[in-house]
C-alpha cells in the first residue's frame, strides 16, 4: 500500500511538474514570439500611437534680379499645430480655430482624429491669425516656425518668378522650372507622446537651404515696362498685353511684363488665367511684322534690293482666285516702301519670288515653329505647317502674317536677329546660381552671364539693309508714333486678326496690335516689343503699340545711360512732330482673309528637319565668375538644327557683373539712388515710422521706392523724411528697433 501511495504521489508531482514545465514553455514561447518575431509589428504600432515624423520645410533659395535685388525670398512665420491627445474637447477647439482661419472644419477635424499625436490647424498663417489663435489659450495647441515664401515686389514680374504651394513646391514660373535647385533638402522633426500624454519634439535632421538664383531681369526696367503696359491697357481697354525688353546681343531678357497679372502673396486670389505667361505660351497671328521674314529672306537670296520698285496695283492683287487688298491703295513702291507702308500686295509679290521651299527654310531658321529654349515653363513652339500641307494660297497668306502662329518671345528673337547683325541668339532669363549661405549683398554682383546657342541666319550686309529699312518704318511709315527723342529707332508695326470662337472665322472687331523695334539703330542696345490684345477703338499696331514702345524705350535708354545718337535740333523736332500722325495714316493689313484661320493650322512635328540659311551655332560655356565661387545655373539647351555649321560665338569677359549687361556700355550701380522716370514734382516719401519691416517694404513698393531696412522690429527713423519729394525708384533708408 505504501509503495502504491508513494507511486501515486510521485505521479502527481510529475504531472504537476510537467504541467508547470509546459506552462513555463508556453509563456517563454509566447514571450519569444512577442519579443522577437512580432517586435517589428508592435514597434510600428507604438510609433504610430506615440511618434510622428513631421517634415521640416527647407528655406527656399532667394531669387534676385541682375543687380541683387530680391524678387522672391523666404521668411519665418508661425504655424499652429495640435496634439489631439492633449486637447480636452477636440471638435470645439477645431471649430474655434477654423472660424479664424476660414478652413473647412470637417477636413481639419478628420485629420486630427486620424493622427493622435500631431496635426496642422493653421499653416503659415498671418501674424493677426496667429495672435487670435493664441488669445484662445487652448490646451494642446502649439506653434512652430516655418519658412513662408514672400515676394517683396508683389505683382512685379509675377508670371516670370511664379508661385509655390503650401509645401513650398514650385507651381509656376521660375519657382517651378528650378524647383529642384531652389527647394533644398527637407529636415525631419519627431513628435512623441508618453503615457502621461505629455508631448516632446526633437529635430532629427536639420533642413538644408536651396540654391539662390540670379535672373537677367532688371527690377527697374521691369517696373518701367509694367507701368507703361498698365497705362496702355487702361487707355485702349485691351483685354491683355505683353511687353518684352531684351539685350539683342546676349539674349538677356531685361523685362518681361504681362497683363492680366496677380500678387503671388495673395494665394487665394490668384486665378489660372492671370498666371499665364503670355510671352512664351500665347500663340497669335503676327500680321505685318512677319513681312520682315519675307523681305529679309528675299534680300539674303539676292532676289531683290531695297530700292527695287514693285507695282502694288493700287492695293489689290488676285492670287489663285483669291483677291487680296491693302488697307489703302498704293501704286509704285520700292521694297523699303513696301515695308514702311506695310503693303500686302508688295509683300506677296516678293514672297512669290522666293518660292515655298526657300521661304519655309527661312521661317524655320528665324526660330518659328520651334521653342526658343528660354528657361520658362509652358513655352509653345507656335503653329506652322510643312510645305507639303500648304494650300494654293498659303504662301500669300503667310507672307502677310496669316495662317501662321507665333509667340511674343519668338518675335523678339526675330527683331534681335536684325539688331545683332544677323545672328539669332537664344533668349535667356536665368543668369546663374549662387550657393546657399553666400552674402546676398555682394554675391549676385559676381555672377558671369554667358550667351547661349546662337546661329547666323542672314549676312551682316542683309541685316544692315533691314535695319535701315526698319528705321524708315519709324521715320516715314506706319511706325511714326515710335520716334524717340535723342535716339534713332527702328521697328515694324503689325495688326493680326483674331479668330472668333463662335463662328470659327476671322473676327471683324478683335485684333492683336503689335510693335517691335530696337534703338539706337547703328548700335542697338535694347529690343522692345509691345503687344496689345483686342484694343477697343483704334487697334492698329502703329496706333496703340508704337506709342508704348516710345515711352518704354525712351525711359530704358536714359536709365541705362546710353549716349544720344541724335541731337535735339530743329530738324529733329520736325521728326518728333511727325510722330503725331493721324491714326488713319497708320492703318495696315488687309480686310481679306486669304489663308485658313489659325486654329486650323497644325503644330509642326518636332522631328521635322529644319532648313537654315548659313546658320552657325555656339555652345554655352558653363564657367564660374571671376572669384570661382559662383556656379553657372543649369541652362536648358535648345535642340540642334539640322544642317547647321558650328561656328564660335564670342562670350563676354569672365567675372562680368550681373548688374552690367554684357553689351550695354554703362555700368549699373550695385547700390544707391537710381532715377527711372522723374515725374513732375517727384514722388512724396510716405511715413514709415511705426511700421514693421514687412509693412514698410509693402508701403515702399506701393510708392515706387526702394527701401533699405536697417535692424529689426518697428521703424524708428527714416531718411529722407516723410513728405520729401524724390525721383521714382529712389532709395529710402529706414532704421528699425524694438
Amino acid at each position: 500500500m505504501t509503495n502504491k501511495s508513494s507511486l501515486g504521489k510521485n505521479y502527481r508531482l510529475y504531472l504537476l511538474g510537467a504541467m508547470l514545465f509546459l506552462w513555463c514553455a508556453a509563456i517563454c514561447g509566447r514571450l519569444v514570439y512577442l519579443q522577437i518575431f512580432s517586435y517589428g509589428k508592435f514597434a510600428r504600432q507604438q510609433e504610430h500611437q506615440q511618434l510622428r515624423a513631421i517634415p521640416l520645410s527647407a528655406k527656399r533659395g532667394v531669387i534676385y534680379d541682375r543687380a541683387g535685388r530680391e524678387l522672391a525670398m523666404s521668411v519665418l512665420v508661425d504655424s499652429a499645430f495640435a496634439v489631439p491627445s492633449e486637447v480636452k474637447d477636440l471638435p470645439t477647439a477645431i471649430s474655434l480655430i477654423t472660424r479664424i482661419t476660414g478652413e473647412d472644419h470637417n477636413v481639419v477635424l478628420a485629420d486630427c482624429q486620424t493622427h493622435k499625436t500631431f496635426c496642422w490647424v493653421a499653416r503659415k498663417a498671418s501674424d493677426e491669425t496667429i495672435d487670435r489663435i493664441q488669445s484662445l489659450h487652448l490646451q494642446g495647441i502649439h506653434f512652430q516656425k516655418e519658412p513662408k515664401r514672400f515676394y517683396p515686389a508683389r505683382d512685379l514680374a509675377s508670371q516670370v518668378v511664379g508661385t509655390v504651394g503650401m509645401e513650398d513646391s514650385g507651381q509656376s514660373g521660375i519657382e517651378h522650372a528650378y524647383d529642384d535647385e531652389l527647394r533644398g533638402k527637407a529636415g525631419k522633426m519627431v513628435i512623441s507622446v508618453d503615457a502621461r500624454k505629455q508631448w516632446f519634439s526633437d529635430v532629427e535632421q536639420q533642413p538644408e537651404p536651396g540654391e539662390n538664383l540670379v535672373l537677367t531681369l532688371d527690377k527697374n526696367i521691369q517696373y518701367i515696362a509694367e507701368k507703361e503696359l498698365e497705362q496702355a491697357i487702361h487707355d485702349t481697354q485691351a483685354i491683355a498685353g505683353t511687353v518684352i525688353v531684351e539685350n539683342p546681343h546676349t539674349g538677356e531678357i531685361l523685362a518681361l511684363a504681362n497683363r492680366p497679372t496677380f500678387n503671388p502673396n495673395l494665394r487665394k486670389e490668384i486665378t489660372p488665367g492671370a498666371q499665364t505667361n503670355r510671352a512664351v505660351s500665347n500663340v497669335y497671328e503676327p500680321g505685318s511684322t512677319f513681312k520682315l521674314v519675307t523681305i529679309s529672306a528675299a534680300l539674303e537670296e539676292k532676289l531683290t534690293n531695297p530700292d527695287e520698285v514693285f507695282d502694288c496695283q493700287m492695293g489689290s492683287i488676285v492670287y489663285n482666285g483669291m483677291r487680296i487688298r491693302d488697307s489703302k491703295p498704293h501704286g509704285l513702291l520700292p521694297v523699303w516702301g513696301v515695308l514702311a507702308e506695310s503693303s500686302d500686295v508688295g509683300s506677296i509679290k516678293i514672297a512669290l519670288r522666293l518660292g515655298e521651299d526657300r521661304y519655309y527654310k527661312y521661317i524655320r531658321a528665324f526660330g518659328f515653329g520651334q521653342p526658343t529654349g528660354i528657361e520658362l515653363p509652358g513655352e509653345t513652339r507656335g503653329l506652322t505647317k510643312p510645305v507639303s500641307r500648304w494650300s494654293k494660297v498659303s504662301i500669300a497668306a503667310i507672307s502677310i502674317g496669316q495662317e501662321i502662329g507665333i509667340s511674343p518671345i519668338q518675335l523678339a528673337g526675330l527683331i534681335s536677329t536684325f539688331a545683332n547683325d544677323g545672328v539669332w541668339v537664344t533668349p535667356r532669363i536665368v543668369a546663374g546660381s549662387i550657393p546657399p549661405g553666400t552674402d546676398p549683398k555682394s554675391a549676385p554682383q559676381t555672377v558671369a552671364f554667358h550667351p547661349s546657342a546662337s546661329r547666323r541666319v542672314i549676312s551682316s550686309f542683309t541685316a544692315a539693309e533691314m535695319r535701315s529699312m526698319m528705321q524708315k518704318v519709324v521715320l516715314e511709315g506706319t511706325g511714326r508714333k515710335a520716334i524717340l527723342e535723342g535716339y534713332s529707332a527702328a521697328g515694324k508695326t503689325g495688326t493680326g486678326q483674331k479668330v472668333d470662337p463662335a463662328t470659327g472665322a476671322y473676327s471683324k472687331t478683335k485684333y492683336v496690335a503689335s510693335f517691335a523695334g530696337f534703338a539706337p539703330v547703328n548700335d542697338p542696345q535694347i529690343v522692345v516689343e509691345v503687344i496689345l490684345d483686342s484694343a477697343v477703338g483704334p487697334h492698329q499696331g502703329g496706333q496703340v503699340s508704337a506709342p508704348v514702345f516710345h515711352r518704354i524705350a525712351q525711359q530704358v535708354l536714359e536709365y541705362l545711360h546710353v549716349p544720344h545718337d541724335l541731337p535735339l535740333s530743329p530738324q529733329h523736332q520736325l521728326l518728333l512732330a511727325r510722330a503725331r500722325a493721324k491714326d488713319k495714316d497708320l492703318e495696315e493689313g488687309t480686310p481679306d482673309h486669304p489663308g485658313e484661320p489659325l486654329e486650323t493650322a497644325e503644330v509642326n512635328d518636332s522631328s521635322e528637319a529644319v532648313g537654315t540659311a548659313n546658320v552657325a551655332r555656339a555652345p554655352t560655356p558653363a564657367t564660374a565668375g571671376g572669384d570661382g565661387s559662383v556656379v553657372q545655373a543649369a541652362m536648358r539647351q535648345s535642340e540642334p538644327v539640322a544642317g547647321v555649321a558650328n561656328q564660335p560665338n564670342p562670350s563676354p569677359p569672365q567675372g562680368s557683373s550681373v548688374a552690367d549687361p554684357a553689351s550695354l556700355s554703362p555700368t549699373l550701380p550695385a547700390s544707391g539712388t537710381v532715377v527711372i522716370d522723374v515725374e513732375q514734382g517727384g514722388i512724396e516719401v510716405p511715413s514709415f515710422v511705426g511700421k514693421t519691416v514687412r509693412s514698410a517694404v509693402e508701403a515702399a513698393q506701393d510708392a515706387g521706392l526702394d527701401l533699405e531696412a536697417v535692424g529689426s522690429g518697428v521703424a524708428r527713423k527714416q531718411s529722407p523724411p516723410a513728405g520729401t519729394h524724390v525721383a521714382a525708384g529712389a532709395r529710402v533708408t529706414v532704421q528699425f528697433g524694438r
Side-chain angles (χ1 to χ4, degrees):
M1 292 291 295
T2 303
N3 291 335
K4 291 184 178 180
S5 176
S6 175
L7 183 60
K9 290 180 180 180
N10 291 337
Y11 175 77
R12 288 193 293 270
L13 287 174
Y14 291 144
L15 181 60
L16 178 61
M19 292 178 63
L20 289 175
F21 175 79
L22 293 174
W23 179 77
C24 290
I27 295 297
C28 291
R30 181 63 175 172
L31 289 175
V32 170
Y33 174 77
L34 294 176
Q35 294 293 332
I36 297 178
F37 297 103
S38 299
Y39 173 80
K41 173 184 176 182
F42 289 111
R44 288 191 295 271
Q45 290 182 358
Q46 179 264 341
E47 288 181 1
H48 179 74
Q49 294 174 357
Q50 298 182 355
L51 299 176
R52 185 176 179 190
I54 306 301
L56 294 178
S57 299
K59 188 175 182 180
R60 285 180 73 86
V62 181
I63 300 177
Y64 297 102
D65 82 334
R66 67 190 299 111
R69 295 173 288 239
E70 295 91 347
L71 298 175
M73 57 193 297
S74 293
V75 295
L76 290 178
V77 297
D78 283 308
S79 292
F81 67 91
V83 179
S85 59
E86 290 187 5
V87 182
K88 293 182 178 180
D89 188 351
L90 187 60
T92 301
I94 298 302
S95 177
L96 292 173
I97 293 173
T98 53
R99 288 179 185 178
I100 297 174
T101 62
E103 301 293 334
D104 190 309
H105 167 267
N106 295 327
V107 174
V108 178
L109 180 60
D111 182 52
C112 290
Q113 289 174 338
T114 302
H115 304 95
K116 299 295 184 181
T117 56
F118 181 95
C119 66
W120 292 111
V121 293
R123 292 290 305 275
K124 303 176 182 180
S126 64
D127 294 341
E128 179 185 359
T129 299
I130 293 298
D131 290 341
R132 292 179 64 185
I133 295 175
Q134 288 177 335
S135 66
L136 297 175
H137 300 291
L138 296 172
Q139 184 178 355
I141 304 299
H142 307 277
F143 301 90
Q144 169 73 28
K145 291 287 186 181
E146 284 193 292
K148 179 181 180 181
R149 208 59 168 163
F150 176 63
Y151 302 88
R154 300 197 288 180
D155 59 351
L156 197 74
S158 56
Q159 287 93 353
V160 174
V161 177
T163 59
V164 298
M166 183 60 70
E167 299 298 335
D168 271 359
S169 59
Q171 293 183 330
S172 64
I174 293 295
E175 296 274 27
H176 174 71
Y178 285 84
D179 187 49
D180 292 338
E181 293 86 348
L182 289 166
R183 180 183 292 187
K185 188 175 181 180
K188 184 169 68 172
M189 179 179 66
V190 177
I191 303 291
S192 61
V193 180
D194 63 11
R196 297 180 180 180
K197 296 186 178 180
Q198 297 294 320
W199 73 280
F200 304 92
S201 64
D202 179 42
V203 178
E204 287 192 354
Q205 182 181 350
Q206 292 289 348
E208 299 177 8
E211 292 184 354
N212 304 322
L213 286 183
V214 180
L215 305 185
T216 63
L217 294 181
D218 186 300
K219 187 177 179 181
N220 293 330
I221 298 178
Q222 182 74 26
Y223 172 76
I224 293 171
E226 297 212 9
K227 180 186 69 172
E228 296 301 341
L229 178 58
E230 185 69 34
Q231 184 64 47
I233 294 291
H234 175 270
D235 294 342
T236 65
Q237 298 299 303
I239 62 174
T242 298
V243 168
I244 297 175
V245 182
E246 181 178 350
N247 181 331
H249 307 294
T250 64
E252 294 168 282
I253 303 299
L254 304 178
L256 194 155
N258 289 282
R259 286 297 182 275
T261 188
F262 64 94
N263 184 350
N265 293 316
L266 306 177
R267 186 180 295 123
K268 294 183 179 179
E269 298 180 10
I270 299 175
T271 61
Q275 286 186 282
T276 302
N277 192 340
R278 303 175 66 87
V280 298
S281 62
N282 191 45
V283 177
Y284 73 103
E285 287 192 352
S288 294
T289 55
F290 209 75
K291 293 171 184 173
L292 295 169
V293 177
T294 307
I295 294 176
S296 64
L299 291 175
E300 182 69 12
E301 293 292 329
K302 304 296 189 292
L303 299 176
T304 186
N305 63 77
D307 296 318
E308 182 183 0
V309 176
F310 280 80
D311 182 7
C312 295
Q313 304 175 189
M314 298 311 293
S316 178
I317 187 174
V318 177
Y319 179 69
N320 280 337
M322 174 70 71
R323 180 172 294 278
I324 305 169
R325 294 168 294 172
D326 282 333
S327 60
K328 54 187 175 183
H330 297 293
L332 300 177
L333 285 178
V335 171
W336 67 262
V338 170
L339 189 66
E341 296 296 335
S342 202
S343 169
D344 291 337
V345 174
S347 182
I348 291 171
K349 288 189 173 184
I350 294 173
L352 292 178
R353 283 192 184 181
L354 266 173
E356 294 179 343
D357 292 330
R358 278 192 294 190
Y359 191 20
Y360 182 72
K361 179 181 69 174
Y362 280 93
I363 291 174
R364 297 287 285 173
F366 276 111
F368 299 105
Q370 55 198 318
T372 64
I374 191 171
E375 308 95 330
L376 288 170
E379 184 186 6
T380 178
R381 70 179 72 174
L383 295 173
T384 63
K385 293 189 296 187
V387 175
S388 61
R389 303 200 61 234
W390 285 17
S391 69
K392 62 180 182 180
V393 295
S394 286
I395 190 171
I398 295 173
S399 69
I400 60 176
Q402 293 185 2
E403 205 175 310
I404 188 169
I406 70 172
S407 67
I409 195 68
Q410 289 175 335
L411 178 60
L414 171 67
I415 304 301
S416 294
T417 301
F418 301 129
N420 193 34
D421 211 29
V423 177
W424 182 94
V425 179
T426 300
R428 307 304 292 271
I429 205 164
V430 175
S433 62
I434 304 174
T438 311
D439 182 8
K441 293 298 182 183
S442 60
Q445 308 300 323
T446 66
V447 171
F449 177 85
H450 300 283
S452 182
S454 62
R455 59 175 181 260
R456 178 165 293 282
V457 181
I458 55 176
S459 66
S460 298
F461 182 76
T462 302
E465 288 182 318
M466 290 301 299
R467 289 195 295 270
S468 177
M469 290 193 292
M470 292 170 71
Q471 184 179 18
K472 291 181 179 179
V473 173
V474 173
L475 295 178
E476 304 179 31
T478 57
R480 279 173 280 175
K481 289 192 175 183
I483 294 177
L484 303 177
E485 300 178 25
Y487 297 101
S488 58
K492 183 67 185 82
T493 58
T495 308
Q497 295 168 293
K498 296 182 66 176
V499 174
D500 188 344
T503 62
Y506 284 104
S507 171
K508 297 182 179 180
T509 58
K510 302 296 183 182
Y511 300 87
V512 178
S514 59
F515 183 91
F518 52 85
V521 173
N522 293 324
D523 184 20
Q525 297 294 295
I526 56 170
V527 166
V528 179
E529 175 187 350
V530 180
I531 297 177
L532 296 175
D533 187 350
S534 303
V536 177
H539 57 268
Q540 301 278 338
Q543 297 168 347
V544 295
S545 296
V548 185
F549 168 91
H550 163 83
R551 297 197 298 268
I552 294 175
Q554 189 75 44
Q555 293 179 69
V556 172
L557 290 170
E558 299 286 1
Y559 166 70
L560 294 175
H561 305 294
V562 176
H564 288 184
D565 65 334
L566 292 178
L568 290 176
S569 61
Q571 182 178 3
H572 188 64
Q573 294 295 333
L574 292 176
L575 292 177
L576 294 177
R578 300 191 67 179
R580 296 187 287 272
K582 296 179 181 179
D583 285 341
K584 66 179 182 179
D585 295 332
L586 306 178
E587 292 181 353
E588 60 182 341
T590 176
D592 306 300
H593 315 120
E596 298 174 344
L598 181 60
E599 273 70 6
T600 64
E602 292 188 3
V603 180
N604 263 326
D605 186 355
S606 59
S607 62
E608 184 181 336
V610 181
T612 59
N614 301 323
V615 179
R617 179 183 296 275
T620 304
T623 56
D627 60 358
S629 63
V630 179
V631 180
Q632 187 70 13
M635 305 290 191
R636 290 153 179 74
Q637 299 292 339
S638 57
E639 292 298 323
V641 180
V644 177
N646 290 328
Q647 180 176 325
N649 193 51
S651 301
Q654 295 287 338
S656 59
S657 167
V658 164
D660 302 331
S663 69
L664 301 183
S665 55
T667 300
L668 305 184
S671 60
T673 301
V674 179
V675 178
I676 306 175
D677 180 24
V678 181
E679 301 175 359
Q680 185 66 32
I683 293 178
E684 182 177 346
V685 178
S687 175
F688 298 103
V689 176
K691 297 181 181 294
T692 62
V693 176
R694 181 186 295 185
S695 299
V697 169
E698 293 178 349
Q701 291 293 330
D702 283 336
L705 301 173
D706 185 12
L707 185 136
E708 181 179 2
V710 179
S712 60
V714 179
R716 302 298 184 187
K717 296 180 181 179
Q718 68 178 74
S719 177
T724 305
H725 287 261
V726 297
R731 175 164 293 184
V732 179
T733 302
V734 180
Q735 294 182 352
F736 294 84
R738 298 192 180 277

